[in-house]
């Protein structure tokens, strides 16, 4: 394994394995058949790519989509790994060229489509080649039980007979045990070792909201992620087109994608998105399979998906690179009915049940992560990255009373009116049409006047969604269902009603955002991102293949100034260090010269600071005299951010243990008690423990003093 670790570092610039990767790789090295189930973004590719580099011979990778194969080969090429793909789009001379490379032993990974592995000529060709092992990507495609059955995969059943000496390894993100077992059986795997990882994706922050002004709601998410990549899913094509137009009118570079668009137009949208030329793709479910973009920072659903499987898959396209990402689902009461009419009677009987589970997910108040993984049979206590666990949404405590009033008002007004009218009666509106009918004299008139009318409308929708009320006839008049009548009599389960307040309650919604950004110089990050885009365009590859966001953030955090320091950045292997080191170092150096005062994290590698030594020692002297930050700013004429940076260096260097000259006793006590619980390892933990209400600068000072005490 030591060898593999070295390979990981050398080619990918990674210094550790993700969960299950080491075990999965060991199976390959030891030649034991295996089944590896990891969620999207779990790092399945590395499970076969790294062993392929460690072993003699060539690995054959079966992959269902030509576009994916090409991406993988390009990405490997960037890491300096000799890989190739053979598929139907290649010209004869290109195929010959690849065959020659394979024969010469130069290729370590060969990607092929499944149909090729039943062609006798191709099999003969492989028989002449030393094969290290076979890796079957998206292996669930072989199973009829899965959602992605591909008949071409059936041919793989003969692989074990054709190549008895080579081990076969199946990789999938499909979590259902039935598909998994069928997959292993169809492939004829020999006592496969099975590795199933956790399906929890803690870097994704899940939120579910009721749909209101969907354009405004979508824009809010997009604006929060200004300039980053996101996907917006709509149920219908016409919604895709409308929203795309609206977003563009609001200055967002958005492109549409749906099955009605024609291959060319769709490909153009997808490519522009992958190349960071468009920031948002607005799509139907047709979009997703076949893109590997790892830096999708948010996925918005403007309507309810039709099942939790779909939701997990679609939202799971966010944050493959392991960095934080937002998944926001907006649903409306009409979505259930819309899907029912789309699904009709054609689909499997399970479809209606799946739809109900999805609706419960939306209207319920259980931890989103837990709901998702439990649906796939894995336990989870609770998370810290969904609206429910973060305390962003609260159920109303008197839901039964409110529901009683609403159902009572519908009954008392004769089950003959729509939601707006009923809400008006409950709000105690003084309207002619209410007075004319004598509804102003009913006990329910004004029964919910202490609540916001929008809230009452929303609760009516929620009760309809939960099956207590139905809409009937041309005018959608509200009537009680059997469940509604039972509830009104005092029988049946209490309904759940959510407060309609869509805004997160507190700035506690740290969500995506804080996590991977600590200490990152944003301006430098933007500069490097632009540089990455230029370099990628020159090479005709997607920007993420040059460096992932995690690497760019690391660079903008550490600000390496020497080739050696650059090579230590996460995701910088030998090849990329050689190819991109110079140009990135130049950009970082220039930026540091132009922004000498930019704040740096204490954990960052120290920047060479010889020209600044004088200023520094002068400032240190002032700190030794216990001067406050404001006084030092004034005395030195420097910005607070710079002074804070110097202060921190001073605290570390002089091993200062008392923060009181700079921080008020009250704040010191607050931060120290938070650190007693959250530890002094990471500032962010303390920051979060204080609900984001105390600035990092203050936390840094107190925590550094605490660390010094134990040093
Ligand atoms: P999957 O195929 O399971 O969806 P990928 O193989 O595409 O996942 O990996 C997702 C991302 O995670 C890629 O950008 C990959 O480079 C990165 N990655 C994989 N393994 C590691 C690791 N050990 N350390 C850091 N990044 C990793």
């Amino acid at each position: 394994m030591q060898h593999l670790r070295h390979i990981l570092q050398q080619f990918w610039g990674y210094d550790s394995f993700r969960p299950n990767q080491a075990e999965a790789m060991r199976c390959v090295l030891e030649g034991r058949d295996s089944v590896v189930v990891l969620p999207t973004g779990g790092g399945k590719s590395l499970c076969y790519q790294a062993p392929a580099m460690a072993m003699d011979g060539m690995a054959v990778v079966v992959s269902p989509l030509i576009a994916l194969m090409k991406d993988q080969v390009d990405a490997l090429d960037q890491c300096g790994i000799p890989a190739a793909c053979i598929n139907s789009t290649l010209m004869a001379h290109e195929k010959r060229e690849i065959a020659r490379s394979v024969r010469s032993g130069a290729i370590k990974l060969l990607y092929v489509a499944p149909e090729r592995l039943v062609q006798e000529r191709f099999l003969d060709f492989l028989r002449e080649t030393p094969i290290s092992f076979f890796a079957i990507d998206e292996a669930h495609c072989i199973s009829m039980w899965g959602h992605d059955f591909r008949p071409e995969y059936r041919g793989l059943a003969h692989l074990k007979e054709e190549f008895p000496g080579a081990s076969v390894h199946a990789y999938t993100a499909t979590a259902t045990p039935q598909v998994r077992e069928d997959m292993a059986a169809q492939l004829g795997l020999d006592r496969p070792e099975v590795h199933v990882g956790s399906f929890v994706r803690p870097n994704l922050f899940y939120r579910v909201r009721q749909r209101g002004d969907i354009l405004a709601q979508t824009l809010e998410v997009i604006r929060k992620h200004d300039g980053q990549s996101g996907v917006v899913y709509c149920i219908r094509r016409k919604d895709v087109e409308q929203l795309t137009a609206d977003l563009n009118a609001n200055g967002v570079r958005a492109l549409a994608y749906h099955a009605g668009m024609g291959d060319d137009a769709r490909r153009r949208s997808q490519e522009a998105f992958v190349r960071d030329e468009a920031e948002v793709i607005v799509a139907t479910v047709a979009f997703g399979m076949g893109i590997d973009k790892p830096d999708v920072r948010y996925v918005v659903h403007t309507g309810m998906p039709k099942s939790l499987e779909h939701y997990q898959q679609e939202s799971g396209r966010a944050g493959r690179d392991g960095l934080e990402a937002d998944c926001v689902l907006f649903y409306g009461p009409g979505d259930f009915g819309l899907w029912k009419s789309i699904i009709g009677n054609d689909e499997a009987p399970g479809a209606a049940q799946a739809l109900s589970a999805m609706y419960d997910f939306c209207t319920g108040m259980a931890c989103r992560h837990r709901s998702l993984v439990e649906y796939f049979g894995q336990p989870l206590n609770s998370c810290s990255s969904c609206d429910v666990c973060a305390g962003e949404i609260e159920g109303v405590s008197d839901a039964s009373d409110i529901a009683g009033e609403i159902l009572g008002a519908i009954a008392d007004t004769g089950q003959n009116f729509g939601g707006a009218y009923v809400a008006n009666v409950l709000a105690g509106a003084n309207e002619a049409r209410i007075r004319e009918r004598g509804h102003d004299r009913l006990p329910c008139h004004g029964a919910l006047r202490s609540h916001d009318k929008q809230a009452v409308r929303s609760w009516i929708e929620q009760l309809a969604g939960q099956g207590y009320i139905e809409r009937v006839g041309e005018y959608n008049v509200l009537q009680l269902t059997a469940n509604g009548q039972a509830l009104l009599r005092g029988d049946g389960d209490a309904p759940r009603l959510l407060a309609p307040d869509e805004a997160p309650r507190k700035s506690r919604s740290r969500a995506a955002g804080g996590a991977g950004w600590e200490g990152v110089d944003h301006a430098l990050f933007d500069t490097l991102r632009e540089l990455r885009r230029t370099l990628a365009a020159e090479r005709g590859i997607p920007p993420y293949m040059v460096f992932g966001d995690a690497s760019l953030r690391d660079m903008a955090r550490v600000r390496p100034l020497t080739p050696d320091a650059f090579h230590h950045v996460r995701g910088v292997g030998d090849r990329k260090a050689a190819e991109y080191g110079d140009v990135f170092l130049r950009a970082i150096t220039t930026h540091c010269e132009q922004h000498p005062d930019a704040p740096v994290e204490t954990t960052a590698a120290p920047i060479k600071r010889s020209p600044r030594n004088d200023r520094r020692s002068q400032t240190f002297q002032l700190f030794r005299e216990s001067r406050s930050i404001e006084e030092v700013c004034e005395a030195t004429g420097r910005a607070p951010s710079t002074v804070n940076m110097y202060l921190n260096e001073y605290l570390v260097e002089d091993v200062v243990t008392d923060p009181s000259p700079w921080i008020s006793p009250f704040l010191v006590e607050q931060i120290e008690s938070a650190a007693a619980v959250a530890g002094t390892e990471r500032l962010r933990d303390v920051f979060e423990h204080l609900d984001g209400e105390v600035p990092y600068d203050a936390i840094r000072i107190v925590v550094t003093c605490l660390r010094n005490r134990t040093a």
Side-chain angles (χ1 to χ4, degrees):
M1 289 315 271
Q2 209 43 42
H3 185 37
L4 272 183
R5 226 175 253 284
H6 179 72
I7 284 178
L8 215 59
Q9 180 62 53
Q10 181 185 358
F11 291 98
W12 283 272
Y14 297 153
D15 48 17
S16 57
F17 297 108
R18 292 239 179 107
N20 296 87
Q21 277 183 332
E23 296 81 348
M25 290 183 196
R26 189 175 291 130
C27 281
V28 180
L29 290 184
E30 293 172 2
R32 274 174 291 138
D33 289 356
S34 65
V35 171
V36 176
V37 187
L38 288 175
T40 307
K44 288 184 285 297
S45 328
L46 220 61
C47 295
Y48 52 85
Q49 291 168 343
M53 290 309 285
M55 294 165 76
D56 291 334
M58 177 184 80
V60 178
V61 184
V62 180
S63 175
L65 293 173
I66 293 174
L68 278 184
M69 281 185 215
K70 194 178 161 321
D71 278 357
Q72 293 262 6
V73 171
D74 284 349
L76 288 169
D77 180 51
Q78 283 297 304
C79 296
I81 294 172
C85 59
I86 292 197
N87 60 48
S88 53
T89 66
L90 295 180
M91 315 280 274
H93 73 272
E94 290 172 313
K95 281 187 199 154
R96 275 199 301 276
E97 186 59 40
I98 291 172
R100 225 186 339 263
S101 301
V102 169
R103 283 202 193 91
S104 76
I107 301 288
K108 293 305 289 178
L109 288 128
L110 183 70
Y111 284 75
V112 298
E115 49 271 33
R116 204 150 287 269
L117 284 172
V118 293
Q119 294 170 3
E120 211 38 55
R121 260 185 65 192
F122 187 70
L123 290 174
D124 284 343
F125 167 68
L126 285 187
R127 283 192 197 100
E128 297 161 14
T129 314
I131 304 283
S132 47
F133 62 91
F134 287 90
I136 319 293
D137 208 3
E138 311 287 353
H140 58 277
C141 292
I142 199 173
S143 170
M144 292 236 272
W145 298 107
H147 53 280
D148 250 348
F149 173 60
R150 284 167 185 256
E152 345 42 297
Y153 263 68
R154 276 297 156 92
L156 301 177
H158 305 292
L159 216 51
K160 287 295 296 181
E161 297 156 25
E162 300 281 355
F163 298 91
S167 60
V168 174
H169 307 274
Y171 303 86
T172 181
T174 299
T176 57
Q178 191 187 27
V179 175
R180 239 182 268 154
E181 276 159 30
D182 189 35
M183 212 170 80
Q186 298 289 336
L187 286 169
L189 300 186
D190 178 18
R191 287 165 295 145
E193 205 167 287
V194 181
H195 294 286
V196 183
S198 164
F199 272 71
V200 186
R201 305 268 313 270
N203 61 317
L204 304 187
F205 197 111
Y206 279 101
R207 287 194 174 84
V208 182
R209 303 261 184 268
Q210 287 188 41
R211 188 167 60 237
D213 176 348
I214 191 62
L215 174 61
Q217 288 174 316
T218 308
L219 275 171
E220 192 185 328
V221 182
I222 295 176
R223 297 265 142 84
K224 179 176 161 201
H225 293 277
D226 193 26
Q228 301 177 331
S229 301
V231 179
V232 177
Y233 280 107
C234 299
I235 300 179
R236 292 172 301 194
R237 293 175 191 177
K238 65 173 193 193
D239 299 331
V240 167
E241 311 229 310
Q242 183 65 49
L243 191 57
T244 309
D246 291 344
L247 289 175
N248 277 291
N250 278 278
V252 177
R253 285 173 300 147
L255 290 173
Y257 187 105
H258 59 69
M261 270 168 51
D263 288 352
D264 258 5
R266 262 190 324 197
R267 196 169 32 83
R268 275 200 303 278
S269 286
Q270 181 163 316
E271 268 179 16
F273 180 63
V274 172
R275 287 166 199 265
D276 290 346
E277 289 154 17
E279 53 189 311
V280 179
I281 200 117
V282 187
T284 58
V285 293
F287 176 77
M289 186 62 174
I291 79 148
D292 250 348
K293 191 169 167 52
D295 53 0
V296 172
R297 294 269 73 86
Y298 59 96
V299 171
V300 173
H301 280 76
T302 63
M304 185 180 87
K306 70 173 170 180
S307 71
L308 282 169
E309 280 96 331
H310 281 86
Y311 188 53
Q312 193 229 17
Q313 205 167 56
E314 288 154 23
S315 62
R317 297 197 169 112
R320 272 181 176 230
D321 53 10
L323 298 175
E324 78 293 332
D326 278 320
C327 302
V328 192
L329 193 172
F330 297 106
Y331 74 102
D335 294 352
F336 191 88
L338 177 62
W339 275 120
K340 272 198 128 165
S341 67
I342 295 174
I343 290 170
N345 299 323
D346 301 343
E347 286 203 30
Q353 215 177 343
L355 196 57
S356 297
M358 187 68 233
Y359 198 73
D360 286 347
F361 176 87
C362 293
T363 54
M365 284 200 299
C367 165
R368 312 290 179 196
H369 284 278
R370 192 177 65 215
S371 305
L372 281 170
V373 301
E374 276 184 352
Y375 191 76
F376 298 104
Q378 290 184 340
L380 177 73
N381 280 334
S382 72
C383 74
S384 57
S385 53
C386 77
D387 51 359
V388 176
C389 294
E392 287 184 7
I393 54 166
E394 283 166 19
V396 293
S397 53
D398 47 353
S400 289
D401 295 343
I402 291 173
E405 294 294 353
I406 292 173
L407 298 177
I410 294 170
D412 291 350
T413 52
Q415 308 203 52
N416 213 10
F417 298 92
Y421 184 87
V422 174
N424 275 334
V425 171
L426 285 162
N430 182 18
E431 287 179 3
R433 57 183 185 146
I434 292 178
R435 286 195 306 272
E436 281 160 15
R437 296 188 176 98
H439 290 163
D440 57 334
R441 295 192 300 278
L442 292 173
C444 62
H445 185 255
L448 296 180
R449 66 155 50 90
S450 61
H451 296 279
D452 182 52
K453 204 158 79 186
Q454 271 317 103
V456 178
R457 281 304 301 272
S458 158
W459 289 327
I460 292 174
E461 286 178 354
Q462 291 177 40
L463 288 172
Q466 290 169 39
Y468 296 101
I469 302 172
E470 58 189 344
R471 291 186 173 76
V472 178
E474 195 184 342
Y475 299 106
N476 281 326
V477 303
L478 302 180
Q479 298 193 346
L480 304 189
T481 61
N483 277 347
Q485 285 163 12
L487 191 67
L488 197 54
R489 286 195 305 270
D491 299 340
D493 295 340
R496 290 160 306 188
L497 296 178
L498 306 185
D501 175 14
E502 306 296 343
R505 286 230 155 9
K506 246 177 151 186
S507 61
R508 217 155 96 208
S509 58
R510 55 197 177 239
W517 285 105
E518 175 70 9
V520 174
D521 179 333
H522 283 257
L524 178 56
F525 177 82
D526 289 344
T527 305
L528 299 180
R529 196 165 187 260
E530 206 41 53
L531 176 62
R532 167 176 78 174
R533 186 156 48 189
T534 313
L535 293 169
E538 285 168 10
R539 287 160 179 74
I541 53 173
Y544 72 78
M545 282 185 197
V546 174
F547 285 119
D549 276 8
S551 302
L552 292 196
R553 286 189 201 178
D554 236 20
M555 289 176 205
R557 186 184 287 123
V558 176
R559 305 202 287 191
L561 296 173
T562 63
D564 199 39
F566 186 77
H567 205 155
H568 275 97
V569 168
R570 182 179 151 187
V572 181
D574 291 359
R575 164 78 195 273
K576 289 191 184 178
E579 175 153 6
Y580 300 116
D582 274 355
V583 48
F584 273 84
L585 280 173
R586 223 176 312 130
I588 296 167
T589 311
T590 308
H591 177 90
C592 289
E593 281 165 7
Q594 286 167 354
H595 305 84
D597 290 346
V600 263
E601 243 296 85
T602 45
T603 50
I607 291 179
K608 278 195 203 135
R609 55 168 88 82
S610 34
R612 295 196 289 154
N613 264 351
D614 281 347
R615 292 193 273 166
R616 191 166 175 263
S617 54
Q618 179 206 3
T619 319
F620 277 22
Q621 190 47 44
L622 294 168
F623 288 135
R624 275 186 204 108
E625 295 164 21
S626 293
R627 303 281 205 94
S628 72
I629 294 170
E630 297 80 68
E631 287 175 311
V632 178
C633 286
E634 198 161 310
T636 58
R638 279 188 211 108
S641 58
T642 320
V643 171
N644 262 307
M645 179 183 84
Y646 279 141
L647 172 57
N648 204 56
E649 289 176 10
Y650 159 74
L651 296 175
V652 172
E653 206 160 296
D654 276 22
V655 202
V656 177
T657 54
D658 175 20
S660 64
W662 305 283
I663 308 287
S664 73
F666 168 70
L667 211 50
V668 170
E669 203 205 294
Q670 256 200 315
I671 298 170
E672 285 186 349
S673 2
V677 184
T680 55
E681 193 76 40
R682 296 191 316 164
L683 297 187
R684 193 176 128 232
D685 294 345
V686 180
F687 180 76
E688 286 177 0
H689 199 81
L690 293 164
D691 286 346
E693 279 156 9
V694 176
Y696 268 113
D697 281 335
I699 296 175
R700 189 178 293 120
I701 294 168
V702 176
V703 167
T704 305
C705 290
L706 276 176
R707 285 182 191 149
N708 287 343
R709 269 179 239 167
T710 52

